Amino acid sequence: MASFKEIVYVGVTTIMLLVASTSAVDYVVGDDSGWTINFDYQAWAQDKSFRVGDRLVFTYPAGVHNVFKVNGADFRQCTAPVGAVPLTSGNDVVALESRGKKWYLCGVAQHCAVGNQKLGIVVAPNPWSPLPSPSPAPSPLLSDDVSDQNQD
């Protein structure tokens, strides 16, 4: 028979997992305006708290825009990486799988440079995600001990 502590542990763990799985947020980039030119995406993102597990949804008419995930330098220069494949469905979903800075832009014509069609965000860790397992303790260095003992 399970002890009271085990039951409480299982219950709390289950609740935490349920909260973690339901706490992810889908952000429609630009809200009702969607992914378009002449929109201030930095102002749009300013009051949002992006977390690992959330998703960005880029909505736009297919064939009119696209979405590239880029690095900081490409973002500042409004350049799509050579050889990179853009998202083009018009309903592109990007899962935020890791923390840190993320940058996106439209690579069509001058949409980024002239139309300001770019988004830069910072993704924070999910407070409900499980902590990583601790690393094993390093094993002692036997070679130093052995060599000291075997020398005359």
Side-chain angles (χ1 to χ4, degrees):
M1 177 130 182
S3 72
F4 178 74
K5 285 183 179 180
E6 290 171 328
I7 292 170
V8 169
Y9 176 78
V10 169
V12 169
T13 303
T14 302
I15 290 170
M16 288 178 65
L17 289 173
L18 288 173
V19 169
S21 66
T22 60
S23 65
V25 176
D26 283 356
Y27 290 99
V28 177
V29 176
D31 295 325
D32 292 338
S33 296
W35 185 236
T36 189
I37 58 173
N38 301 319
F39 185 89
D40 190 345
Y41 290 101
Q42 295 318 115
W44 171 84
Q46 192 170 21
D47 66 342
K48 295 174 178 51
S49 297
F50 301 100
R51 302 229 176 250
V52 170
D54 291 345
R55 300 183 324 164
L56 299 176
V57 181
F58 293 86
T59 58
Y60 56 91
V64 176
H65 302 293
N66 60 31
V67 179
F68 280 96
K69 182 176 182 188
V70 297
N71 62 30
D74 288 339
F75 180 80
R76 286 185 294 279
Q77 297 170 5
C78 277
T79 54
V82 175
V85 178
L87 302 174
T88 59
S89 74
N91 190 34
D92 304 318
V93 179
V94 176
L96 301 175
E97 297 176 343
S98 62
R99 57 184 252 183
K101 295 179 180 179
K102 312 292 179 195
W103 299 277
Y104 305 91
L105 59 81
C106 179
V108 174
Q110 294 292 312
H111 291 194
C112 179
V114 177
N116 199 37
Q117 193 173 1
K118 60 184 185 174
L119 170 67
I121 62 171
V122 176
V123 178
N126 186 332
W128 298 105
S129 63
L131 296 173
S133 301
S135 300
S139 47
L141 297 175
L142 297 177
S143 61
D144 289 342
D145 296 332
V146 171
S147 63
D148 288 343
Q149 293 173 357
N150 291 338
Q151 288 184 354
D152 295 355

